[in-house]
Amino acid sequence: MALTTSLAGRVRNTSLPKSHALLPLLEAVVNGIQAIDARFGDDVEHGRLSVRIQRSPQEELDLGPVGPGRVALKPIVGFLVEDNGEGFTPENMTSFETLDSDHKATIGCRGVGRLLWLKAFDRVSIRSTYEDDAGALHGQQFRFSVERDVEPDGEADGLGGVGTIVSLDGFKEPFQKSALKTVDAIAREMFEHCIWYFLRPGGAPDVTVTDGDETVSLNNLMAEFVYSEMPATTIDVKGEKFDMVNLCLKSSTRNPAPRLHWCAASRVVMEENLTSKVPGLYGKLKDEASAEFTYACYLSSNFLDDHVRADRTAFDIAEHVQGATLTEDVSLDDIRAGVLEEVERILAVPLSAAREEGKARVNDFVSNRAPRYRPVLSRLESLDVTVDPSIKDQDLELLLHGKLQKLEADAIAEGQAVFAEDGSTPPEDYAERLARYLDTVTDINQSDLAAYVSRRRVILDHLDRLIRSDDQGNYSREDAIHSLLIPMRTDSNKIGTDASNLWIIDERLAFHEYLASDKTLKSMPITGSESTREPDVLATRLVDHPLLAAEGERLPLPSIVVVEIKRPMRNDASEDKDPIQQCLDYVKRVREGGVRTAFGRPIPPSKEPPAFCYIVADLTPKMVSRCEYANLRATHDGMGYFGFNEPNKAYIEVINFNRLVNAATERNRAFFDKLGLPSS
């Protein structure tokens, strides 16, 4: 009993990802090149193959991504592929009518290319002329579709020269929308898919792609994209031979990254980006003459030919081989490792130069932008930190941060291992391991300190920008500066100690029992006040016992700090809007309340808890008037006022914004200079 085959079922079960929408066209092109080879042998220079792009005659436009400055094109509805190869001989016709034919199996054909045609196109028309042994011409003309299989399409009259015309019509919408649109892009896709024919001895026939009045020659693309050829090499992976064709491509936006092209049956099956898979291999490399190029490798072997899938979009090869096996199974990882090792060997000189450039990039970044990594830089290099010299600052910061985290994790593991041996007889290398661990921890701690100091430099730079006017002469609002000093509408029970930058005003403000930012007095547990007025910042500190916010339960007497921030160059200070008097009122209300700690414990009454009032404001005429009214003294540089208010037992300081930034910078100058950061 003979088995029958359903063409519709075979087409339905044939895989064609939309990302490979042009694969049916590429298969038709490869068939044409093979037909030319069969006719002309080594004289392929006599061969001709042309592809014509057919677009919709309607006025509708393909509104897919066209890029800036490009005009939308009419949708592609089909392709016409014409070659002067041997034509549809009786043997070729029989093979075409036989699914899964092995007629051309010796050159990697699987007999499924025509199924891909029907997967992406509604119908296919073929007109072909061949020459018999006696030199007479014969014609074949037929249609091919899912509904009607292969059917004659009239007599093939008016025979011209030997060759074939394949018309792929009715480009199905899902594939049409996913396919490349321009003649340049389609020609390049064809070139890369068929590049094996251009690289082989004897080269390829003349191949062109035409779209209206524009024609692109694939033979010219070879000269346009290939800078030079490197010696071909062969690697052995578990007894299997793999041939590597190594190319130096001219650097351009079209060749941005080094790539590995996996080939089978004289076709590119899949490609892989090699960026960073070999240390120093990122984008462009430089040869001995400093000319830039991009590396590309075309990998082929009988093993790949035997394991390529029928649709030629992937390989039936495991990505990994887990554990030991009875046979030496070859995985994609095995092949890739062999290729990368060979790439590192043949590109040793340019890769070494690229690694040195990357190292210089890291050193420059650490010296000028991220000094926190300087104490551990030598240790990071041992973690194989190699970077693209053109890497962006933010990407380099993320890379170094990740490596630093790994270094810290390794140090923790090493410390646990070392200290786990306490109490037992220490091994011979115990002292050496302990010293190595302590050295690493010291470097990491220095890095943390450098990060803290660098953050202060960034904060001061940002504050300096906030107090300046913009192009329209406007100044930042109070809340922008307030949020930089400390987040608004919160207190120290909700934020960490690192969230506050009150050290800009006074280093002692880093230590407090309770701190509130832009909250009503009524909402503060330390006051017992019913007032809904809001000081910008209010803090308490225990006398002689400076504590962080999380530890605020110790008594006795708290000190009180109030900070009031005004908009730069704001000139509305008056008797009703006197920031000095506002601060003193806040101090008085805090003292009058049923004062409790942040955890609700009562604080013993005290008549004279020390109070400190800081007003951050520019010295406008009205602000100067309020300072003089409060009997405050001008500082020696004329950029602030200070004094002591006896009735309220409060020290008062009015700080000009410039003085605020300058004073904070001066206090940190020694640290900035040590790290090589600008301090002015």
Side-chain angles (χ1 to χ4, degrees):
M1 180 181 295
L3 296 176
T4 59
T5 301
S6 166
L7 177 61
R10 286 300 310 277
V11 171
R12 182 177 60 252
N13 294 328
T14 297
S15 172
L16 179 61
K18 286 187 286 187
S19 59
H20 292 68
L22 288 180
L23 186 56
L25 168 65
L26 304 180
E27 286 295 306
V29 171
V30 170
N31 289 343
I33 295 176
Q34 291 173 344
I36 291 172
D37 286 347
R39 181 183 180 190
F40 296 106
D42 294 336
D43 300 323
V44 292
E45 67 272 11
H46 299 301
R48 300 287 183 272
L49 187 147
S50 65
V51 175
R52 288 188 173 275
I53 300 172
Q54 297 177 318
R55 297 187 182 273
S56 171
Q58 306 299 323
E59 291 302 319
E60 61 175 321
L61 298 178
D62 188 331
L63 298 179
V66 295
R70 292 189 176 182
V71 179
L73 300 171
K74 293 181 179 180
I76 296 174
V77 296
F79 298 92
L80 203 66
V81 182
E82 182 175 358
D83 68 75
N84 64 344
E86 66 174 348
F88 268 69
T89 64
E91 294 82 3
N92 288 337
M93 190 65 203
T94 300
S95 173
F96 186 89
E97 294 175 319
T98 305
L99 293 178
D100 302 314
S101 168
D102 58 2
H103 176 55
K104 295 191 289 183
T106 57
I107 55 175
C109 296
R110 298 293 184 90
V112 296
R114 56 197 176 282
L115 298 179
L116 297 177
W117 292 351
L118 297 183
K119 191 75 175 180
F121 296 89
D122 292 330
R123 57 198 171 276
V124 179
S125 300
I126 297 175
R127 176 183 172 87
S128 182
T129 302
Y130 69 93
E131 187 178 59
D132 63 17
D133 293 339
L137 296 180
H138 302 273
Q140 302 271 16
Q141 187 167 312
F142 58 92
R143 295 176 181 175
F144 183 45
S145 64
V146 171
E147 295 80 11
R148 306 179 69 89
D149 290 2
V150 178
E151 60 174 342
D153 189 21
E155 293 295 328
D157 53 0
L159 300 178
V162 175
T164 301
I165 300 175
V166 177
S167 179
L168 305 174
D169 298 317
F171 205 2
K172 296 179 180 179
E173 186 174 358
F175 298 103
Q176 182 268 326
K177 288 186 175 298
S178 300
L180 298 171
K181 306 294 188 290
T182 67
V183 63
D184 285 334
I186 293 172
R188 178 176 171 79
E189 181 85 354
M190 286 175 50
F191 173 75
E192 292 187 348
H193 185 80
C194 306
I195 194 171
W196 183 257
Y197 293 99
F198 292 87
L199 296 175
R200 66 182 179 176
D206 181 58
V207 182
T208 59
V209 184
T210 300
D211 184 11
D213 297 331
E214 187 176 1
T215 298
V216 177
S217 168
L218 268 64
N219 303 73
N220 292 340
L221 290 181
M222 185 70 178
E224 180 181 345
F225 291 112
V226 177
Y227 171 66
S228 68
E229 294 185 43
M230 304 175 68
T233 56
T234 300
I235 60 174
D236 184 288
V237 180
K238 294 184 177 180
E240 298 289 347
K241 300 293 184 181
F242 294 85
D243 297 321
M244 295 172 56
V245 174
N246 306 292
L247 298 180
C248 299
L249 303 182
K250 294 179 180 178
S251 292
S252 69
T253 55
R254 291 181 173 181
N255 298 311
R259 293 191 176 275
L260 169 63
H261 301 267
W262 300 71
C263 304
S266 302
R267 300 161 171 84
V268 173
V269 175
M270 63 184 191
E271 65 177 53
E272 179 178 344
N273 192 333
L274 295 182
T275 298
S276 77
K277 293 183 179 179
V278 175
L281 185 61
Y282 295 99
K284 301 172 183 177
L285 294 173
K286 293 180 180 179
D287 62 13
E288 295 178 354
S290 296
E292 292 184 336
F293 69 90
T294 301
Y295 173 76
C297 172
Y298 290 83
L299 183 72
S300 61
S301 75
N302 292 333
F303 182 81
L304 294 178
D305 290 345
D306 294 340
H307 290 81
V308 68
R309 293 180 183 173
D311 58 12
R312 299 191 186 92
T313 61
F315 295 95
D316 286 322
I317 305 173
E319 186 73 30
H320 317 279
V321 175
Q322 300 291 343
T325 59
L326 296 177
T327 59
E328 285 290 302
D329 293 332
V330 178
S331 68
L332 292 178
D333 270 356
D334 294 330
I335 302 170
R336 186 179 295 111
V339 169
L340 295 179
E341 183 179 351
E342 183 67 7
V343 169
E344 189 165 11
R345 185 189 69 81
I346 63 178
L347 294 177
V349 174
L351 286 176
S352 176
R355 286 193 287 266
E356 289 301 317
E357 287 187 29
K359 185 181 296 185
R361 172 74 174 92
V362 172
N363 288 331
D364 179 72
F365 176 74
V366 170
S367 297
N368 297 297
R369 302 297 300 274
R372 70 163 300 188
Y373 299 106
R374 186 177 298 161
V376 294
L377 188 56
S378 61
R379 298 184 184 277
L380 293 179
E381 290 177 354
S382 67
L383 295 178
D384 196 26
V385 177
T386 58
V387 303
D388 182 353
S390 63
I391 189 173
K392 296 180 180 178
D393 282 355
Q394 56 266 39
D395 294 332
L396 182 52
E397 174 80 29
L398 290 174
L399 174 65
L400 292 176
H401 182 70
K403 295 295 185 180
L404 179 58
Q405 285 185 315
K406 184 180 186 305
L407 182 65
E408 291 175 338
D410 291 345
I412 291 174
E414 177 72 11
Q416 291 173 340
V418 169
F419 294 121
E421 297 169 353
D422 281 351
S424 61
T425 302
E428 293 182 1
D429 64 343
Y430 179 80
E432 180 182 347
R433 289 171 56 198
L434 178 61
R436 184 171 61 246
Y437 164 72
L438 294 177
D439 285 345
T440 302
V441 170
T442 299
D443 288 345
I444 292 174
N445 289 341
Q446 289 178 354
S447 174
D448 292 339
L449 177 59
Y452 180 74
V453 174
S454 297
R455 180 178 179 275
R456 286 196 167 195
R457 176 70 271 175
V458 172
I459 294 297
L460 289 175
D461 288 342
H462 187 48
L463 177 59
D464 188 52
R465 287 192 294 270
L466 286 177
I467 65 177
R468 300 180 185 183
S469 62
D470 58 21
D471 294 338
Q472 287 74 42
N474 299 321
Y475 290 87
S476 300
R477 294 175 55 85
E478 295 98 317
D479 53 3
I481 298 174
H482 189 303
S483 297
L484 181 66
L485 295 177
I486 185 173
M488 298 179 67
R489 296 176 179 83
T490 188
D491 60 30
S492 52
N493 292 332
K494 298 179 181 178
I495 60 174
T497 56
D498 290 340
S500 167
N501 292 306
L502 291 174
W503 54 266
I504 296 175
I505 299 173
D506 189 334
E507 294 286 353
R508 293 171 295 178
L509 290 180
F511 304 98
H512 52 267
E513 186 239 10
Y514 180 82
L515 184 147
S517 171
D518 204 43
K519 292 174 68 73
T520 63
L521 293 173
K522 182 178 180 180
S523 67
M524 300 179 194
I526 66 166
T527 65
S529 173
E530 295 297 317
S531 173
T532 57
R533 300 188 66 179
E534 300 177 351
D536 283 340
V537 180
L538 185 146
T540 64
R541 290 199 310 273
L542 302 182
V543 173
D544 296 328
H545 297 284
L547 298 172
L548 295 177
E551 301 173 329
E553 290 195 39
R554 298 180 62 181
L555 300 173
L557 193 63
S559 65
I560 303 170
V561 180
V562 178
V563 179
E564 190 72 11
I565 304 167
K566 295 302 178 185
R567 185 176 186 174
M569 297 307 296
R570 184 169 178 174
N571 191 31
D572 63 351
S574 62
E575 186 173 352
D576 294 334
K577 296 182 178 180
D578 185 350
I580 299 173
Q581 190 59 45
Q582 287 175 349
C583 286
L584 295 175
D585 288 345
Y586 294 144
V587 171
K588 184 177 180 180
R589 286 189 174 88
V590 171
R591 287 173 173 163
E592 288 176 349
V595 181
R596 302 186 302 274
T597 68
F599 293 91
R601 301 302 302 163
I603 296 176
S606 178
K607 297 180 180 180
E608 298 181 351
F612 302 86
C613 299
Y614 296 97
I615 297 93
V616 182
D618 279 321
L619 297 181
T620 60
K622 290 186 177 180
M623 190 68 238
V624 170
S625 176
R626 301 316 302 171
C627 291
E628 293 173 348
Y629 182 81
N631 200 29
L632 302 181
R633 293 185 178 184
T635 58
H636 70 283
D637 56 10
M639 300 176 71
Y641 282 82
F642 69 98
F644 186 76
N645 184 280
E646 182 64 32
N648 291 283
K649 300 295 187 291
Y651 170 79
I652 303 170
E653 186 171 355
V654 179
I655 309 170
N656 173 285
F657 280 105
N658 289 334
R659 177 182 174 85
L660 180 70
V661 174
N662 293 342
T665 301
E666 285 300 317
R667 292 197 307 271
N668 290 273
R669 179 182 295 276
F671 299 108
F672 295 159
D673 291 345
K674 188 68 174 178
L675 290 180
L677 297 172
S679 55
S680 61

